[in-house]
Amino acid sequence: MRLLRLVLLALFGLLLLGCTGSNVRRREDPRLPKLRAMGFRIVVVPFRTSAPEEGFLATALGPVGEVLALEQSGRERGRIEVADSLRGDIVAWLRQSPFEVVEPWVSDTQLAHVGLDRAGMADPQNAARIAAALQVDGVLFGDVERWNRSYYVLQSTAEVGLHLELRDRDGTELFATTRTETLGSGVTGGPTGYGSLISAPVQGLSGNTLRELSRQIARSAALDLGGAQPDAEPSPLLPRLSVVSLVRRHDGPVQPGERIDVLAVGTPDCDVRFDVGRLRSGVPMRAVATTDDARGARTTYEGHYVVQPTDPVAEVPVYVTIERTGQRGTRSRYRWDGSVRIATDRGAKPGR
Amino acid sequence: MRVPALGAVLLASCGGLSHTLHPDVPRPHRLAVLPVQGAAPFVERELARSLLRARLQERGYLVAELEFTDRVLSERSWLSDPETFSPASLPLSEVATAIGVDGVLVVDQFDETRWNALLVRRHALGARFRIVEKDGGEWWQANYTVGVTGGFLLKSGQLLTELLSQSTHGAGAASLDRIDELVEGVAEVLPVDEDRAEHHMPPGIAAPVVAAPVVHAISEGLARVEVRVEAPPGSSVWLDLGDRLRSMPMSGANAAYTGAVDVPADWPPLAVRVRVRGAFGQQAEATR
């Protein structure tokens, strides 16, 4: 009898094991990387929440941590809160990408002035009208398709699904992704004691779990759309530098009219720039030679900054940044192991 | 001895959000986010700073661009190495005035705790946040720590879940989660700037006036092109030479900016284009 109970429990656990994980579907127009690199201005319109209602029991047990639930009472408000929360996450992460994002409050106000209500703003059929009204290159629509907690006594699952759709100013689709993240708690967590047999599934229903999943999903979707994954392992396709150095050591501080000369060797056909601390950022470097041998092709880049009389007295580090030409967002940054001293007529203050 | 130590560790792992608003201090609308000081890795501090800017914008504040803020700090010798920056002795009123904002957000003590003794593990991020108004008054401050505590001792029974968590403990993605949570949590308690009418946005920036470039030979085969520009004081200014050289930063004091580039003497005369940009992204350009 005991054996049968264990077998049944294990079977039930295996059935639910698939409840933790993520599911991603994605379409991208081949023009998008180029458009992104050119500085694509987009508006993120209010999201919809088309997720079905949660089960009554899950809703009742749900607010263990905080309330962000599609509750049956005050239903519309809950849906708007969920949609706005994910929209905020998407906007924050898209601002880390090459896209230029219009302030949501500005776009919401302007769209209200042209007669669009929340449902009208969220409708992808209105993409061309919205783009024309706001003078933007693209419109990003979002739909929270899943926002759900399920409770099966010994197991609970939390699930968030988000659909994003970027449309061009003429209404054609440039990018679409549907992501669903699911987290199971309970018997799938392993051999469970009597106490945690009950408590683990209830803890899994916490509003915090949904919020954590939604933050994760929004971040992944926004970074995917922006063409970058800051937490990802360096890709072999990421441009690299093998050497970063000053062309020549300077005896004493660099004076006005003298040059800070920087050299870098790395992946060919890239946009390479150096920073003199944070004082002068993005000084352009030019490709001066390319060699191709058994170790592969590599290019030498050189650049210089002519110190000006108005520059401050400073001792600053030198950074070199490399990115593929026309592909903003996939960049690598290197710090030269040393610092540059600048001496001008401007009064010295202690550096920090 | 071990029991009190464990107790202390468990207590230390507790974290939370505390914040204070001083309504007697004038509320700032235009803010600058200073580089983040702390023991956490520089990349994480930079990401937190950038996300904070985005979240503040979402809350209705007009926030100066980070590159602009850093340039102004560097030009006044308040920032030399961003990785070791400390706001401790900065004259924050002067800093706000120099950047052209009415308040600065100072983030320090940005520390990360990451340890794993299998039975108990902890990954947490915490920092102190302050908004100081341009007259020196502290308008708002918050302390916040976010983290996850786990381990086979605490997750008794949930062995598979804990095994999965152990594999991702302290990884890059986990840090990203914590930073996201920290920044969102702290931004949520900051009052929304309901008064974010467009009058907080400064007017557009005036176009630069570009003088004729001066070219002189500096060595065999090399010529120096010197460009002088009049542009609004404090703005960021860049110089392009045709399509051959783009976005060379220029240096300036008051309204007079200068920049110089050494080019091969056999380069043909190239059109000079100058771009200026204000703290909040206002732009203008001129060509000569």
Side-chain angles (χ1 to χ4, degrees):
Chain A
M1 188 63 192
R2 193 172 173 185
L3 185 68
L4 181 68
R5 203 172 60 186
L6 276 173
V7 169
L8 282 173
L9 204 64
L11 203 62
F12 185 59
L14 282 173
L15 283 173
L16 291 170
L17 202 58
C19 291
T20 295
S22 58
N23 183 8
V24 185
R25 276 177 290 135
R26 182 175 183 273
R27 288 190 304 270
E28 184 175 315
D29 189 298
R31 291 174 298 156
L32 185 62
K34 196 159 275 182
L35 293 170
R36 219 164 22 209
M38 285 161 56
F40 205 63
R41 190 163 181 263
I42 64 170
V43 59
V44 183
V45 291
F47 287 2
R48 292 189 304 144
T49 304
S50 65
E53 199 89 14
E54 289 185 300
F56 169 73
L57 194 55
T59 306
L61 290 169
V64 180
E66 61 191 43
V67 185
L68 249 184
L70 307 181
E71 290 181 44
Q72 301 189 350
S73 57
R75 183 177 162 186
E76 201 47 44
R77 207 191 68 203
R79 286 177 177 274
I80 289 175
E81 275 179 17
V82 165
D84 285 351
S85 163
L86 269 116
R87 183 196 189 196
D89 293 343
I90 290 285
V91 169
W93 280 99
L94 279 180
R95 284 193 167 130
Q96 317 305 315
S97 75
F99 288 112
E100 185 188 338
V101 185
V102 178
E103 286 280 355
W105 71 273
V106 172
S107 55
D108 289 357
T109 310
Q110 289 181 348
L111 290 177
H113 286 165
V114 297
L116 283 172
D117 59 6
R118 190 177 172 105
M121 292 179 208
D123 185 354
Q125 300 300 321
N126 289 330
R129 186 178 165 199
I130 292 170
L134 298 173
Q135 296 290 299
V136 292
D137 304 313
V139 184
L140 184 69
F141 297 91
D143 182 8
V144 185
E145 293 182 334
R146 308 287 300 165
W147 185 271
N148 187 45
R149 290 165 291 192
S150 308
Y151 183 66
Y152 310 103
V153 185
L154 298 183
Q155 173 75 10
S156 69
T157 56
E159 184 185 35
V160 178
L162 177 67
H163 175 74
L164 285 184
E165 204 174 307
L166 177 66
R167 297 214 173 200
D168 205 352
R169 71 178 78 172
D170 59 7
T172 54
E173 183 188 286
L174 287 172
F175 176 92
T177 184
T178 306
R179 279 183 173 264
T180 309
E181 299 268 353
T182 313
L183 186 68
S185 307
V187 287
T188 56
T192 303
Y194 286 119
S196 48
L197 189 68
I198 303 301
S199 63
V202 175
Q203 277 173 11
L205 292 173
S206 156
N208 292 327
T209 310
L210 277 180
R211 187 67 194 105
E212 201 171 307
L213 280 180
S214 70
R215 251 198 309 266
Q216 202 172 305
I217 211 166
R219 186 172 67 236
S220 303
L223 293 174
D224 206 12
L225 173 58
Q229 292 284 351
D231 59 329
E233 290 295 313
S235 150
L237 296 174
L238 208 62
R240 291 162 193 270
L241 293 175
S242 52
V243 176
V244 168
S245 175
L246 292 190
V247 172
R248 66 188 79 84
R249 288 267 175 188
H250 196 280
D251 294 329
V254 189
Q255 309 281 342
E258 293 184 323
R259 294 173 24 163
I260 298 167
D261 282 282
V262 178
L263 172 146
V265 180
T267 311
D269 304 322
C270 286
D271 185 19
V272 183
R273 292 175 180 270
F274 75 90
D275 301 342
V276 182
R278 292 287 165 89
L279 184 65
R280 303 289 167 243
S281 297
V283 178
M285 298 176 76
R286 291 197 304 131
V288 291
T290 297
T291 51
D292 197 352
D293 55 24
R295 289 188 294 157
R298 55 199 184 279
T299 295
T300 303
Y301 300 90
E302 280 184 12
H304 64 267
Y305 176 73
V306 181
V307 172
Q308 300 296 304
T310 46
D311 284 333
V313 174
E315 181 164 354
V316 287
V318 172
Y319 294 92
V320 181
T321 306
I322 179 168
E323 63 186 322
R324 291 204 183 274
T325 308
Q327 290 183 29
R328 279 161 48 185
T330 50
R331 61 168 60 180
S332 309
R333 173 180 275 204
Y334 298 81
R335 180 179 172 138
W336 173 62
D337 188 19
S339 58
V340 170
R341 285 169 61 210
I342 297 173
T344 57
D345 295 337
R346 285 184 61 186
K349 291 179 190 170
R352 292 172 173 89
Chain B
M1 185 64 191
R2 284 184 186 173
V3 173
L6 184 62
V9 163
L10 289 175
L11 278 177
S13 66
C14 297
L17 174 61
S18 65
H19 63 106
T20 315
L21 186 75
H22 301 282
D24 48 318
V25 175
R27 177 201 196 117
H29 300 284
R30 298 180 193 181
L31 293 173
V33 185
L34 302 189
V36 174
Q37 183 272 334
F42 180 57
V43 179
E44 292 181 12
R45 286 183 276 142
E46 285 285 279
L47 178 62
R49 185 187 182 204
S50 185
L51 273 175
L52 264 172
R53 179 175 183 259
R55 293 286 185 184
L56 286 176
Q57 287 176 297
E58 214 178 283
R59 306 291 288 175
Y61 298 88
L62 197 58
V63 191
E65 293 185 344
L66 301 181
E67 199 173 311
F68 185 97
T69 301
D70 287 353
R71 180 185 58 76
V72 173
L73 291 173
S74 299
E75 284 181 343
R76 283 160 177 77
S77 302
W78 289 321
L79 168 66
S80 52
D81 187 340
E83 295 184 31
T84 57
F85 171 81
S86 167
S89 56
L90 282 188
L92 295 176
S93 303
E94 275 183 58
V95 169
T97 307
I99 301 170
V101 291
D102 40 35
V104 289
L105 172 60
V106 181
V107 185
D108 57 5
Q109 300 169 19
F110 191 95
D111 299 334
E112 185 173 26
T113 310
R114 197 186 297 198
W115 53 266
N116 187 357
L118 293 180
L119 286 179
V120 184
R121 63 182 165 83
R122 173 81 175 156
H123 183 193
L125 265 180
R128 184 174 68 152
F129 304 81
R130 288 181 295 144
I131 292 183
V132 178
E133 190 263 343
K134 67 180 171 195
D135 291 329
E138 187 178 278
W139 176 64
W140 171 85
Q141 75 89 28
N143 284 285
Y144 192 21
T145 301
V146 295
V148 283
T149 307
F152 290 106
L153 185 68
L154 301 181
K155 300 280 178 183
S156 171
Q158 299 287 289
L159 295 179
L160 296 178
T161 306
E162 179 53 24
L163 271 174
L164 282 174
S165 305
Q166 288 276 351
S167 67
T168 56
H169 177 82
S175 294
L176 218 56
D177 275 345
R178 301 288 88 75
I179 294 169
D180 203 359
E181 191 183 346
L182 180 83
V183 168
E184 193 216 358
V186 84
E188 254 177 15
V189 298
L190 189 67
V192 172
D193 191 351
E194 302 287 2
D195 190 23
R196 55 181 158 191
E198 283 177 28
H199 63 260
H200 290 311
M201 183 69 177
I205 198 162
V209 179
V210 187
V214 176
V215 182
H216 55 92
I218 54 168
S219 67
E220 197 176 328
L222 213 56
R224 177 162 293 180
V225 180
E226 291 180 343
V227 179
R228 288 179 184 278
V229 172
E230 267 181 50
S235 43
S236 300
V237 185
W238 295 273
L239 154 74
D240 293 355
L241 286 183
D243 287 333
R244 299 207 178 187
L245 184 130
R246 288 187 178 274
S247 303
M248 171 66 82
M250 297 180 76
S251 173
N254 301 319
Y257 289 79
T258 58
V261 189
D262 295 344
V263 300
D266 57 358
W267 273 18
L270 295 165
V272 174
R273 189 170 74 120
V274 172
R275 289 181 295 118
V276 297
R277 194 172 172 96
F280 306 102
Q282 324 92 291
Q283 293 191 82
E285 64 176 58
T287 306
R288 176 145 195 142

